Amino acid sequence: MNISGVAAALHSRLPGLAESMALRIRAEVDVYKDESLISFGSLRHSCHANADFVLRNLGRKEAPDAAAARETGRLRAEQGVPLADTLRAYRIGSELLWMEIVAEARTRPEISDDLLVSESARFWALFGLYAEAVAVAYRETAAELSSRGQARRAALVEALFTGVITDHTLWEAARELGLPEQGPYAVAVAEVGAVGEDPLAGMGAALREAEIPFAWRSLPDQQLALIALPTAAAENICLRILRRGRARVGFSPCFASLRSTPQNLRFARLALSTLPGAGPGVARFDDHPLAMVVAAAPAEAARLVQVTLGPVLDLPAAERSRLLRTLEHWFASGGSANATSQSLFVHPNTVRYRIRRVEELTGRSLSDPRTTADVGAALLAVRHQDKGPAGCPPDVG
């Protein structure tokens, strides 16, 4: 004696039973109430397939085929239904189905309580098998979708940074990357010290907490970030986050259109190239526009250095370093001999002597604004070429 008669009776009423299961699930699981996410027809179809699976295998000893379970798991992952809600819906549907089995069994005197208890164990074993198949298929599909999504996001970010993108794809990229369709935006470029290193570790979490949208692109030697600046304070917040880290970062000007991303990637890289020394720091393009112009034209900058400071650069290393360092501090002090002497720890007359020495060597007067502009630009070029006076030996007076 077995319960196959009960299963056959319920199987004949399967369409109505599937309808009842779908209605119960929709009433008790909020995500299933969203018709745009899961249509009632799709839910009813799944309930029909799942109940059919259980009823066909009730009372059998051989291992069942859980194809319907795997299909449900795959479908719910594609629909974006959380796995917990998917499994809860199956439990609710299974409980209703078991109640119908018990009710039908009570109408049949030949079904003993012992047999019903035995079949109960079999039923819930099938439930466990099914739930496991659902979960496995769900996770496999979710992992595949995630991999595809990451690859597509990477391709869209790459298209933005390279400019290989159409107007339609600009809108599509903004939507899929979670970026606003209109700026302002900025680009940050961080130097990668070693392959696999994350120079901006923690920045993503901090930007998300500040509700600043962004998209990443990792290269072997650099990490690129396209950052949306939705509020007036967003740029300053972003710069504070970057300065808290230990990375060397270049930061572009703000720009309005995603189509300008490649140009501003270049600006951010130029800003990064002007950072002195080897330690962490953030260089913002707009903070030193002349330095950016010098960095953007290395051949022209090299000629400017030769024409403007050639006689100084031809000096022996020690004197050359002293004069370049003095010029650097003199410019930083606004042309004040007293302030320069304090920063260099030398007498003001020593500063004046060195400035005169530069004027004699170059044949240019630093009281002439045009000469001052040329020498200042040349100093920036020297610093960009070899990290300049910051790398010179300490001043010895």
Side-chain angles (χ1 to χ4, degrees):
M1 183 181 301
N2 58 43
I3 204 167
S4 59
V6 172
L10 292 177
H11 207 274
S12 67
R13 308 200 303 267
L14 194 51
L17 187 56
E19 179 99 4
S20 299
M21 293 167 67
L23 289 171
R24 176 73 65 85
I25 291 168
R26 176 159 284 196
E28 296 190 22
V29 185
D30 288 342
V31 71
Y32 282 82
K33 297 175 183 177
D34 187 348
E35 182 72 20
S36 65
L37 184 63
I38 307 169
S39 70
F40 186 75
S42 172
L43 176 57
R44 182 175 53 208
H45 174 77
S46 293
C47 289
H48 189 287
N50 301 337
D52 178 65
F53 165 79
V54 172
L55 293 174
R56 287 184 182 279
N57 288 280
L58 203 61
R60 293 186 179 181
K61 303 300 182 184
E62 62 271 17
D65 179 9
R70 292 191 293 271
E71 175 62 17
T72 295
R74 182 195 63 76
L75 182 60
R76 296 297 176 254
E78 291 176 346
Q79 291 170 329
V81 180
L83 178 57
D85 287 330
T86 300
L87 294 176
R88 183 181 172 215
Y90 177 62
R91 178 181 57 78
I92 291 170
S94 295
E95 288 174 351
L96 188 150
L97 179 59
W98 177 247
M99 289 172 59
E100 292 293 328
I101 290 172
V102 171
E104 179 64 29
R106 294 303 185 196
T107 67
R108 298 170 180 264
E110 70 275 14
I111 305 294
S112 67
D113 289 344
D114 289 343
L115 178 58
L116 198 56
V117 169
S118 174
E119 290 301 332
S120 172
R122 171 68 177 168
F123 178 90
W124 292 111
L126 286 172
F127 169 84
L129 175 68
Y130 186 93
E132 181 180 0
V134 167
V136 169
Y138 184 103
R139 293 189 181 104
E140 288 176 349
T141 304
E144 181 182 350
L145 292 172
S146 176
S147 178
R148 287 184 201 165
Q150 289 173 4
R152 178 164 175 77
R153 282 175 60 87
L156 288 171
V157 175
E158 176 71 9
L160 288 173
F161 278 124
T162 58
V164 185
I165 198 162
T166 66
D167 288 336
H168 173 74
T169 312
L170 277 175
W171 171 83
E172 185 180 25
R175 178 175 55 82
E176 292 202 27
L177 296 173
L179 298 172
E181 295 179 34
Q182 297 294 327
Y185 313 95
V187 172
V189 176
E191 190 176 278
V192 174
V195 176
E197 180 183 277
D198 183 1
L200 299 178
M203 179 186 172
L207 288 177
R208 280 188 287 270
E209 184 177 350
E211 298 183 350
I212 296 177
F214 64 94
W216 293 111
R217 177 76 172 100
S218 293
L219 301 176
D221 59 338
Q222 291 179 338
Q223 193 168 65
L224 319 180
L226 174 58
I227 305 167
L229 305 171
T231 67
E235 182 181 10
N236 287 333
I237 293 171
C238 185
L239 290 169
R240 281 201 302 271
I241 291 171
L242 288 170
R243 289 177 179 131
R244 287 204 302 260
R246 302 293 299 169
R248 292 171 60 79
V249 183
F251 199 82
S252 79
C254 297
F255 55 99
S257 170
L258 286 173
R259 189 164 289 285
S260 300
T261 302
Q263 180 183 29
N264 283 276
L265 170 59
R266 181 169 178 267
F267 289 156
R269 282 175 164 156
L270 286 172
L272 175 61
S273 73
T274 65
L275 271 176
V282 178
R284 184 173 174 267
F285 185 97
D286 285 350
D287 288 342
H288 304 286
L290 180 57
M292 301 304 118
V293 172
V294 169
E300 292 79 359
R303 181 61 184 167
L304 172 66
V305 169
Q306 190 59 43
V307 169
T308 307
L309 292 176
V312 175
L313 299 178
D314 291 338
L315 293 170
E319 185 177 5
R320 179 178 68 239
S321 295
R322 280 196 296 271
L323 293 183
L324 290 175
R325 181 179 290 275
T326 300
L327 276 175
E328 186 84 18
H329 284 256
W330 187 76
F331 271 93
S333 301
S336 168
N338 288 332
T340 303
S341 69
Q342 292 174 10
S343 64
L344 287 174
F345 302 102
V346 297
H347 195 278
N349 287 338
T350 300
V351 174
R352 295 186 184 99
Y353 166 76
R354 293 178 182 176
I355 295 299
R356 285 197 302 271
R357 175 75 169 136
V358 171
E359 291 177 327
E360 291 169 0
L361 286 166
T362 62
R364 295 166 178 261
S365 171
L366 287 172
S367 62
D368 183 343
R370 291 172 298 181
T371 296
T372 304
D374 290 344
V375 173
L379 275 175
L380 290 171
V382 171
R383 182 171 62 186
H384 183 66
Q385 288 171 357
D386 59 8
K387 303 307 179 184
C392 297
D395 199 305
V396 293

